[in-house]
Amino acid sequence: ASPSSCFSLSAAEAMRAAGLLLAWALLRPAATQQCHLAGPGGVLRFTDRHAEIRVPALHRVPSSLDPLYGLVRRCLDLIQQNPLPTELLRAALNDPSSVRTSQVVQYELGYVVCAAVALLFTVAVPVAGMCFCYCRSRRRCGGRLRAHRRSLGCRRHCLLACLSLTSLVILTSVVCAFVTSQRVKAQMEPGLGAVPTTLRTLRQHITNIPQGVQMVVDQFEVPRQQIISDLGGLSRSVGLSIHAQLKAMTYAALADLQDRAGDLQTSLHHLQILDKTARALASARAELEPALRERRRRVVALLDDPRCTSCASVLGRAQGLELGADYSKVPSVEKVLKAMAGLPRSDFAEMIRQGNGTFNSIPELAVERMAQVIQDLRDEMARTTEKVQSIANSFPLPDYTRPVSEALVKAEARSQPYLREVERFERYRWIAGTVLCSIILLILACNLIGMALGAYGLSKREDPSDYECRGEAGAKFLLVGVGLAFLFSWLLILLVFATFLVGGNIQTLVCRNWVNQEIYKFIDTPGNLPPSMNITHQLNLRRDSNLSATYRECKSGAGLWEVLQLDRSYDLDEHLKSPKYTADFQKRLGDFTARLGDVRLLRSEGRQDLETFAHSGVDEVDYGRFQEEMKIPVVQTSLPGLARSLEGLQKMQRNSTVAARLAAEAQALWQMQNSTVQSQEALVAKLGESVRFLSHLAPHLQERVKTTLATTASVEARLPVHAQQILRQEIGCFTRKELRYFAQYLNWVGQTLREDVASCQPLATALDNGRVILCDRIADPWNAFWFSLGCCTFFLIPNIIFAVRLTKHFRPIRNRLM
């Protein structure tokens, strides 16, 4: 090989050594590398399937009648300006017999005044009606005008306008009364039905809390399935990680061992060639020497013949025809070959194949060695499921919610008779309101017909004193309306006052104090409620709590856990500590050990072969002597050059005998070159290849073999150690990942049990819904109904006056004034 090939071989060896160093660098910090397993645990998704019963929140719906509702509320605020009568209510609830009438009158003073006005109206209007009837019988009221005056037309138009205006006000009010009455009827039935429905919903919410807790506990199936799935791939993942982290070093050591085995085989081959070729060259030299000496003698004699023309110039070259290199003088390699006799005694190719196969089987070996511990971990997960079940078994909320559920059952049972009475009263109210509103519409119809006929009759009358039937009919229609007003006004005022008294007190006593939470403050004050109505006791609230604070906490989304402060009697955090459920799982993983790196790269017979090779003396042979001999040609004088010179002299000879002898000698030289010298030169070339290989290998042989043996032994010793380190690392990573699943689940359980499953927000929503139904959807249209009907009733008085006075203008005048 050329010097460039030697350089490339040295570079390859240097790169291989660098590869070994890199492998060691990669292997040494294996225990501190980051986790190889699937990285940090993912986020678990839990299904929100707890047994909470949602109470849909109701809200005030904007309406075109909101201005009317606001006007009525302002009127009621003027009528009832007193705050919540706490003393009166305390006495009424605890000792009804101690309530004095004066206290009630003092609080209800605004309503008492309104009652007096209603009583006065009830008495005065019918009496006025009877007086009017008496006057009519005497032809003194509603008769004819005595005389025609010039201002009569202006007065008539003024009365028509006033009656029309009062009729329009009454019409507007009766339409509002009709609309609000229908709204009360439409809202009353679902509102009354919402009371038992809401109570049942709350009771179901309270009753289903244990079921919700159990559903939360059952969600442990999510992390359990994830952990079981991860366990299925743990062993193979560990094996693949060990293989991936150790393969660079192992493959480098096997490649280095394969190179040394190749060096042994190749060196033995070249040593055998070296010994055989040197012997062949020495033997050929001995055979060539007499023939070459005889040939020199004959050529010199011929060239020295006087008959040979111009032969002196070639004579010197012929005299130098002698043998060159003597390979009998080179060092013998018999001793080295004797030391390497029988090598290699082991099959290095099979040895390397087996070592490679053993190392590549580490993943399968890990699956086999870890099968039992993985099965134990699966069994441990089943036992952990039983431990998690203890959360549901020991959860204390049912003991606290049972009184609440019983209180809701009692409230639902006691509310039924009252709700039926309210429904019956509402039915009567609607019938009476509809009938009386229809009568008011009838009065308005009489007014409209009367004014239309009267005005038409006046337009057709030529003389004011003439009788005109249409004008007379208009006057009678107006009087019919007046009669109906007198006849039903007392019923109207009674209905107005009854609905006003109920709706007004609901608004001022309940709704107004519900909005500003004065009712909650009254309930929270000790002694205001009798023991049978102790809300704190019935709802099982803590002693230092109150309904206002509980309502605010529930409305903000707090759970019964926080409202009842159950953490004082039951430490949920203690029951949700992760080590309580993961200690055995973690211990089994921590105690597991297995030898997964026992790989035999070089057996003892192979090691002995390499040691014998290293100490065989290959590096002690003097290959420089071989190289020196190879620089010397086989024959000192070039046989082809001498033969060509003789052939040139042959052409110059005049003597045919000399010419023939020169041709014969040239032919003999060519024959010697082709038959003997060329074969020896081929052997020298073959010898040169072996010498170059051995001379390049010899200086580094001891060091390379020693390095290979040390590396192989070190890798064999360290593979189990580092495999164990990687095993511990991967198991540690796996353990931390699975513990995060446990932590996610336990944190979710704590949050869900505190905020969702035992949420008391439905209680606050139910209270808000009760206020919306009672105050916004029933009380507002109820109060608007009596307000509208009251407007109709009171505007009947000017309606009567204007109608009676207008009838005179529709009848003929008694005396015509000229």
Side-chain angles (χ1 to χ4, degrees), residues 408-468:
L408 292 173
V409 171
K410 292 179 182 178
E412 182 180 354
R414 292 176 180 177
S415 65
Q416 292 295 338
Y418 296 103
L419 295 177
R420 284 194 292 269
E421 288 298 319
V422 170
E423 186 177 4
R424 185 167 62 87
F425 179 77
E426 163 58 20
R427 185 166 59 252
Y428 294 154
R429 181 212 63 82
W430 180 80
I431 293 173
T434 303
V435 171
L436 292 176
C437 286
S438 300
I439 291 173
I440 292 175
L441 288 177
L442 183 59
I443 293 172
L444 292 175
C446 291
N447 287 346
L448 182 61
I449 296 173
M451 286 188 292
L453 291 175
Y456 184 72
L458 288 175
S459 64
K460 295 297 183 181
R461 185 187 302 166
E462 296 179 356
D463 188 347
S465 61
D466 293 344
Y467 177 82
E468 212 284 320

Coordinates of all heavy atoms in Angstrom, one line a residue, residues 408-468:
L408 N -87.4 20.0 54.6 CA -87.9 20.3 53.3 C -89.2 19.5 53.1 O -90.2 19.9 52.5 CB -86.9 20.0 52.2 CG -85.7 21.0 52.2 CD1 -84.7 20.5 51.2 CD2 -86.2 22.4 51.8
V409 N -89.2 18.2 53.6 CA -90.4 17.4 53.4 C -91.6 18.0 54.2 O -92.7 18.1 53.7 CB -90.1 15.9 53.9 CG1 -91.4 15.1 54.0 CG2 -89.1 15.3 53.0
K410 N -91.3 18.5 55.4 CA -92.3 19.1 56.2 C -92.8 20.4 55.5 O -94.1 20.6 55.5 CB -91.8 19.4 57.6 CG -91.5 18.2 58.5 CD -91.0 18.6 59.8 CE -90.6 17.4 60.7 NZ -90.1 17.8 62.0
A411 N -91.9 21.2 55.0 CA -92.3 22.4 54.4 C -93.2 22.1 53.1 O -94.2 22.8 52.9 CB -91.1 23.2 54.0
E412 N -92.8 21.1 52.4 CA -93.6 20.7 51.2 C -95.0 20.3 51.6 O -96.0 20.7 51.0 CB -92.9 19.6 50.4 CG -93.7 19.2 49.2 CD -92.9 18.1 48.4 OE1 -91.8 17.8 48.8 OE2 -93.5 17.6 47.4
A413 N -95.1 19.5 52.7 CA -96.4 19.0 53.1 C -97.3 20.1 53.7 O -98.5 20.2 53.4 CB -96.2 17.9 54.2
R414 N -96.7 21.0 54.5 CA -97.5 22.1 55.1 C -97.9 23.2 54.1 O -98.9 23.9 54.3 CB -96.7 22.7 56.2 CG -96.4 21.8 57.4 CD -95.6 22.5 58.4 NE -95.3 21.6 59.6 CZ -94.6 21.9 60.6 NH1 -93.9 23.1 60.6 NH2 -94.4 21.0 61.6
S415 N -97.1 23.3 53.0 CA -97.5 24.3 52.0 C -98.6 24.0 51.1 O -99.3 24.9 50.6 CB -96.2 24.6 51.1 OG -95.9 23.5 50.4
Q416 N -99.0 22.7 51.0 CA -100.0 22.3 50.1 C -101.4 22.9 50.4 O -102.0 23.4 49.5 CB -100.1 20.7 50.0 CG -98.9 20.0 49.4 CD -98.7 20.4 48.0 OE1 -99.6 20.7 47.3 NE2 -97.4 20.2 47.5
P417 N -101.9 22.8 51.7 CA -103.2 23.5 51.9 C -103.2 25.0 51.6 O -104.2 25.5 51.0 CB -103.4 23.2 53.4 CG -102.5 22.0 53.7 CD -101.3 22.2 52.8
Y418 N -102.1 25.7 52.0 CA -102.1 27.1 51.8 C -102.1 27.4 50.3 O -102.7 28.3 49.8 CB -100.9 27.7 52.4 CG -100.9 27.6 53.9 CD1 -100.1 26.6 54.6 CD2 -101.7 28.5 54.7 CE1 -100.2 26.5 56.0 CE2 -101.7 28.4 56.1 CZ -100.9 27.4 56.7 OH -101.0 27.3 58.1
L419 N -101.3 26.6 49.5 CA -101.3 26.8 48.1 C -102.6 26.6 47.4 O -103.0 27.3 46.5 CB -100.2 25.9 47.5 CG -98.8 26.1 47.9 CD1 -97.8 25.1 47.3 CD2 -98.3 27.6 47.5
R420 N -103.4 25.6 47.9 CA -104.7 25.4 47.4 C -105.7 26.5 47.7 O -106.5 26.9 46.8 CB -105.3 24.0 47.9 CG -104.6 22.8 47.3 CD -105.4 21.6 47.6 NE -105.4 21.2 49.0 CZ -104.4 20.4 49.6 NH1 -103.5 19.9 48.8 NH2 -104.4 20.2 50.9
E421 N -105.5 27.1 48.9 CA -106.4 28.2 49.3 C -106.0 29.4 48.4 O -106.9 30.2 47.9 CB -106.2 28.5 50.7 CG -106.9 27.5 51.7 CD -108.4 27.5 51.5 OE1 -109.0 28.5 51.3 OE2 -108.9 26.4 51.5
V422 N -104.8 29.6 48.2 CA -104.3 30.8 47.4 C -104.9 30.6 45.9 O -105.3 31.5 45.3 CB -102.8 30.9 47.4 CG1 -102.3 31.9 46.3 CG2 -102.3 31.3 48.8
E423 N -104.8 29.4 45.4 CA -105.3 29.1 44.1 C -106.8 29.4 44.0 O -107.2 29.9 43.0 CB -104.9 27.7 43.7 CG -105.2 27.3 42.3 CD -104.8 25.9 41.9 OE1 -104.4 25.2 42.8 OE2 -105.0 25.5 40.7
R424 N -107.5 29.0 45.0 CA -109.0 29.2 45.0 C -109.3 30.7 45.1 O -110.1 31.2 44.4 CB -109.6 28.4 46.2 CG -111.1 28.5 46.2 CD -111.6 27.5 47.2 NE -111.2 27.8 48.6 CZ -111.8 28.6 49.4 NH1 -113.0 29.2 49.0 NH2 -111.4 28.8 50.6
F425 N -108.6 31.4 46.0 CA -108.8 32.8 46.1 C -108.5 33.5 44.8 O -109.2 34.5 44.4 CB -107.9 33.4 47.2 CG -108.1 34.9 47.4 CD1 -109.2 35.4 48.1 CD2 -107.1 35.7 46.9 CE1 -109.3 36.8 48.2 CE2 -107.2 37.1 47.1 CZ -108.3 37.6 47.7
E426 N -107.4 33.1 44.1 CA -107.0 33.7 42.9 C -108.1 33.5 41.8 O -108.4 34.3 41.0 CB -105.7 33.2 42.4 CG -105.3 33.4 41.0 CD -105.3 34.9 40.5 OE1 -105.2 35.7 41.4 OE2 -105.4 35.1 39.3
R427 N -108.7 32.3 41.8 CA -109.7 32.0 40.8 C -110.9 32.9 41.0 O -111.5 33.5 40.1 CB -110.2 30.5 40.9 CG -111.2 30.1 39.9 CD -111.3 28.6 39.8 NE -111.7 28.0 41.1 CZ -111.0 27.3 41.8 NH1 -109.7 27.1 41.5 NH2 -111.4 26.8 43.0
Y428 N -111.3 33.1 42.3 CA -112.4 34.0 42.6 C -112.1 35.5 42.2 O -112.9 36.2 41.7 CB -112.8 34.0 44.1 CG -113.4 32.6 44.5 CD1 -113.3 32.2 45.8 CD2 -114.0 31.8 43.6 CE1 -113.8 31.0 46.3 CE2 -114.6 30.6 44.0 CZ -114.4 30.2 45.3 OH -114.9 29.0 45.7
R429 N -110.8 35.8 42.5 CA -110.4 37.2 42.2 C -110.5 37.4 40.7 O -110.9 38.5 40.2 CB -109.0 37.4 42.7 CG -108.5 38.9 42.3 CD -107.0 38.9 42.1 NE -106.6 38.1 41.0 CZ -106.6 38.5 39.7 NH1 -107.1 39.7 39.4 NH2 -106.3 37.7 38.7
W430 N -110.0 36.4 39.9 CA -110.0 36.6 38.5 C -111.5 36.7 37.9 O -111.7 37.5 37.0 CB -109.3 35.4 37.8 CG -109.2 35.5 36.3 CD1 -108.4 36.3 35.6 CD2 -110.1 34.9 35.4 NE1 -108.6 36.1 34.3 CE2 -109.7 35.2 34.1 CE3 -111.2 34.0 35.5 CZ2 -110.3 34.8 33.0 CZ3 -111.8 33.5 34.4 CH2 -111.4 33.9 33.1
I431 N -112.3 35.9 38.5 CA -113.7 35.9 38.0 C -114.4 37.3 38.3 O -115.0 37.9 37.4 CB -114.6 34.8 38.6 CG1 -114.0 33.4 38.1 CG2 -116.0 34.9 38.3 CD1 -114.7 32.2 38.8
A432 N -114.2 37.7 39.6 CA -114.8 39.0 40.0 C -114.1 40.1 39.1 O -114.9 41.0 38.7 CB -114.6 39.2 41.5
G433 N -112.8 40.1 39.0 CA -112.2 41.1 38.2 C -112.6 41.2 36.8 O -112.9 42.2 36.2
T434 N -112.8 40.0 36.2 CA -113.2 39.9 34.8 C -114.7 40.5 34.6 O -115.0 41.3 33.7 CB -113.2 38.5 34.3 OG1 -111.8 38.0 34.4 CG2 -113.5 38.4 32.8
V435 N -115.5 40.1 35.6 CA -116.9 40.6 35.5 C -117.0 42.1 35.7 O -117.7 42.8 34.9 CB -117.8 39.8 36.6 CG1 -119.2 40.5 36.7 CG2 -117.9 38.3 36.2
L436 N -116.3 42.6 36.7 CA -116.4 44.0 37.0 C -115.7 44.8 35.9 O -116.2 45.9 35.5 CB -115.7 44.3 38.3 CG -116.5 43.8 39.5 CD1 -115.8 44.0 40.8 CD2 -117.9 44.3 39.6
C437 N -114.6 44.3 35.3 CA -114.0 45.0 34.2 C -115.0 45.0 33.0 O -115.0 46.0 32.2 CB -112.7 44.3 33.8 SG -111.3 44.7 35.0
S438 N -115.7 43.9 32.8 CA -116.7 43.9 31.7 C -117.8 44.9 31.9 O -118.3 45.6 31.0 CB -117.3 42.5 31.6 OG -116.2 41.5 31.4
I439 N -118.2 45.1 33.2 CA -119.2 46.1 33.5 C -118.7 47.5 33.2 O -119.4 48.3 32.7 CB -119.7 45.9 35.0 CG1 -120.5 44.6 35.2 CG2 -120.5 47.1 35.4 CD1 -120.8 44.3 36.6
I440 N -117.4 47.7 33.6 CA -116.9 49.0 33.3 C -116.8 49.3 31.8 O -117.1 50.4 31.3 CB -115.4 49.1 33.9 CG1 -115.5 49.1 35.4 CG2 -114.7 50.4 33.4 CD1 -114.2 49.1 36.1
L441 N -116.5 48.2 31.0 CA -116.5 48.3 29.6 C -118.0 48.6 29.1 O -118.2 49.4 28.1 CB -116.0 47.1 28.9 CG -114.5 46.9 29.0 CD1 -114.1 45.5 28.4 CD2 -113.7 48.0 28.3
L442 N -119.0 48.0 29.8 CA -120.3 48.3 29.4 C -120.7 49.8 29.7 O -121.4 50.4 28.9 CB -121.3 47.4 30.2 CG -122.8 47.5 29.9 CD1 -123.1 47.2 28.4 CD2 -123.6 46.5 30.8
I443 N -120.2 50.3 30.8 CA -120.5 51.7 31.2 C -119.8 52.6 30.1 O -120.4 53.6 29.6 CB -119.9 52.0 32.6 CG1 -120.7 51.3 33.6 CG2 -119.9 53.5 32.8 CD1 -120.1 51.4 35.0
L444 N -118.6 52.2 29.7 CA -117.9 53.0 28.6 C -118.7 52.9 27.3 O -118.8 53.9 26.6 CB -116.5 52.5 28.5 CG -115.5 52.8 29.6 CD1 -114.2 52.1 29.4 CD2 -115.4 54.3 29.9
A445 N -119.2 51.7 27.1 CA -120.0 51.6 25.8 C -121.3 52.5 25.9 O -121.6 53.1 24.9 CB -120.4 50.1 25.6
C446 N -121.9 52.6 27.0 CA -123.1 53.4 27.2 C -122.7 54.9 27.0 O -123.4 55.7 26.3 CB -123.7 53.2 28.6 SG -124.5 51.6 28.8
N447 N -121.5 55.3 27.5 CA -121.0 56.6 27.4 C -120.8 56.9 25.9 O -121.2 58.0 25.4 CB -119.7 56.9 28.1 CG -120.0 56.9 29.6 OD1 -121.1 57.1 30.1 ND2 -118.9 56.9 30.4
L448 N -120.1 56.0 25.2 CA -119.8 56.3 23.8 C -121.0 56.3 23.0 O -121.2 57.3 22.1 CB -118.9 55.1 23.3 CG -118.4 55.2 21.9 CD1 -117.6 56.5 21.7 CD2 -117.6 54.0 21.5
I449 N -122.0 55.4 23.2 CA -123.2 55.4 22.4 C -124.0 56.7 22.7 O -124.6 57.3 21.8 CB -124.0 54.1 22.6 CG1 -123.2 52.9 22.1 CG2 -125.4 54.2 21.9 CD1 -123.8 51.6 22.5
G450 N -124.1 57.0 24.0 CA -124.9 58.1 24.4 C -124.3 59.4 23.8 O -125.1 60.2 23.3
M451 N -123.0 59.6 23.9 CA -122.4 60.8 23.3 C -122.6 60.9 21.8 O -122.9 61.9 21.2 CB -120.9 60.9 23.7 CG -120.7 61.3 25.1 SD -118.9 61.6 25.5 CE -118.3 59.9 25.3
A452 N -122.5 59.7 21.1 CA -122.6 59.7 19.7 C -124.1 60.0 19.3 O -124.3 60.9 18.4 CB -122.2 58.3 19.1
L453 N -125.1 59.4 19.9 CA -126.4 59.6 19.5 C -126.8 61.1 19.9 O -127.6 61.7 19.1 CB -127.4 58.6 20.2 CG -127.3 57.2 19.7 CD1 -128.1 56.3 20.6 CD2 -127.7 57.1 18.3
G454 N -126.4 61.5 21.1 CA -126.7 62.9 21.5 C -126.2 63.9 20.6 O -126.9 64.9 20.2
A455 N -124.9 63.8 20.2 CA -124.3 64.7 19.3 C -125.0 64.7 17.9 O -125.2 65.7 17.3 CB -122.8 64.4 19.2
Y456 N -125.3 63.5 17.5 CA -126.0 63.4 16.2 C -127.4 64.0 16.3 O -127.8 64.7 15.3 CB -126.1 61.9 15.8 CG -126.7 61.7 14.4 CD1 -126.0 62.0 13.3 CD2 -128.0 61.2 14.3 CE1 -126.6 61.8 12.0 CE2 -128.6 61.0 13.0 CZ -127.8 61.3 11.9 OH -128.4 61.1 10.7
G457 N -128.1 63.8 17.4 CA -129.4 64.4 17.5 C -129.4 65.9 17.6 O -130.2 66.6 17.0
L458 N -128.4 66.5 18.2 CA -128.2 67.9 18.2 C -128.0 68.5 16.9 O -128.4 69.6 16.5 CB -127.1 68.3 19.2 CG -127.3 68.1 20.7 CD1 -126.1 68.4 21.5 CD2 -128.5 69.0 21.1
S459 N -127.2 67.7 16.0 CA -126.9 68.2 14.7 C -128.2 68.2 13.8 O -128.3 69.0 12.9 CB -125.8 67.4 14.1 OG -126.3 66.1 13.9
K460 N -129.1 67.4 14.1 CA -130.3 67.3 13.3 C -131.5 68.1 13.8 O -132.5 68.3 13.1 CB -130.8 65.8 13.2 CG -129.8 64.9 12.5 CD -129.6 65.2 11.1 CE -128.7 64.3 10.4 NZ -128.5 64.7 8.9
R461 N -131.3 68.6 15.0 CA -132.4 69.4 15.6 C -132.3 70.9 15.1 O -131.3 71.5 15.2 CB -132.3 69.4 17.1 CG -133.5 70.1 17.8 CD -133.2 70.2 19.3 NE -133.0 68.9 19.9 CZ -132.5 68.7 21.1 NH1 -132.1 69.7 21.8 NH2 -132.4 67.5 21.6
E462 N -133.5 71.3 14.6 CA -133.5 72.7 14.1 C -133.9 73.7 15.2 O -133.3 74.8 15.2 CB -134.5 72.8 12.9 CG -134.1 72.0 11.7 CD -135.2 72.1 10.6 OE1 -136.2 72.8 10.8 OE2 -134.9 71.5 9.5
D463 N -134.8 73.3 16.0 CA -135.2 74.2 17.1 C -134.8 73.5 18.4 O -135.1 72.3 18.6 CB -136.7 74.4 17.1 CG -137.1 75.4 18.1 OD1 -136.3 75.8 19.0 OD2 -138.3 75.9 18.0
P464 N -134.1 74.2 19.3 CA -133.7 73.5 20.6 C -134.8 73.0 21.4 O -134.6 72.1 22.2 CB -132.9 74.6 21.3 CG -132.4 75.6 20.2 CD -133.5 75.5 19.2
S465 N -136.0 73.5 21.2 CA -137.1 73.1 22.0 C -137.9 71.9 21.4 O -138.8 71.4 22.0 CB -138.1 74.3 22.2 OG -138.6 74.7 21.0
D466 N -137.4 71.6 20.2 CA -138.1 70.4 19.5 C -137.6 69.1 20.1 O -136.5 68.9 20.5 CB -137.8 70.5 18.0 CG -138.4 71.7 17.3 OD1 -139.3 72.3 17.9 OD2 -138.0 72.0 16.2
Y467 N -138.5 68.1 20.1 CA -138.2 66.8 20.5 C -137.4 66.0 19.4 O -137.9 66.1 18.3 CB -139.4 66.1 20.9 CG -139.2 64.6 21.4 CD1 -138.8 64.4 22.7 CD2 -139.4 63.6 20.5 CE1 -138.5 63.1 23.1 CE2 -139.1 62.3 20.9 CZ -138.7 62.0 22.2 OH -138.5 60.7 22.6
E468 N -136.3 65.4 19.8 CA -135.6 64.6 18.8 C -135.2 63.3 19.5 O -134.6 63.2 20.5 CB -134.2 65.3 18.5 CG -133.8 65.1 17.1 CD -133.2 63.7 16.9 OE1 -132.4 63.3 17.8 OE2 -133.4 63.1 15.9

